[in-house]
Amino acid sequence: MRPASFFRSALALLALAGCSLSEQLAGEPCAVAEDCWRTQECAQTAEEAALELPGMCLPKGTGCVRGQQLGCACDPMDFDADCGIAAAKIEVEYPNMICDPDRRICVLEQDEEGQP
């Protein structure tokens, strides 16, 4: 095998390994960017950080999962983005959320006494 062919093959294998790891870490809880793959960010809203909830490993530039993370944009008329489903995986204890129709962000669901 010529050196150039070997080099191209090695690069292709590294790229495939990187894609695999990126896919495995997608949606995983994180505290800092270093918890995620190099092509991802730790998407954690200010509201999540204040409640000490983890962020999630998402592709860089995502910011947060619309309608699924506390403090992220939502749409009360869109079932997929109305805050009814938390983006965090099951092993993370995530509070119930609703979409605030005035601010259009996911907020903590209140009980009858007004407590989260």
Side-chain angles (χ1 to χ4, degrees):
M1 180 182 279
R2 296 184 333 194
S5 297
F6 176 77
F7 184 68
R8 280 194 289 265
S9 298
L11 281 177
L13 285 173
L14 286 173
L16 288 173
C19 290
S20 168
L21 188 54
S22 177
E23 290 170 7
Q24 287 179 351
L25 292 176
E28 287 296 314
C30 60
V32 292
E34 289 75 22
D35 293 341
C36 304
W37 183 242
R38 60 181 173 77
T39 59
Q40 297 173 327
E41 66 184 356
C42 183
Q44 184 182 39
T45 65
E47 291 82 354
E48 288 174 324
L51 291 175
E52 298 181 1
L53 293 169
M56 292 178 34
C57 292
L58 297 173
K60 285 187 178 180
T62 302
C64 61
V65 181
R66 185 175 172 266
Q68 294 185 24
Q69 279 184 273
L70 195 61
C72 194
C74 64
D75 181 352
M77 304 308 289
D78 181 353
F79 178 74
D80 291 329
D82 69 356
C83 310
I85 302 168
K89 298 213 181 254
I90 296 297
E91 67 265 12
V92 175
E93 186 71 31
Y94 206 88
N96 291 332
M97 300 177 292
I98 59 168
C99 185
D100 182 310
D102 297 324
R103 295 187 291 162
R104 296 279 181 146
I105 61 169
C106 293
V107 296
L108 293 175
E109 186 176 56
Q110 306 282 320
D111 62 17
E112 284 97 35
E113 287 88 37
Q115 299 295 315

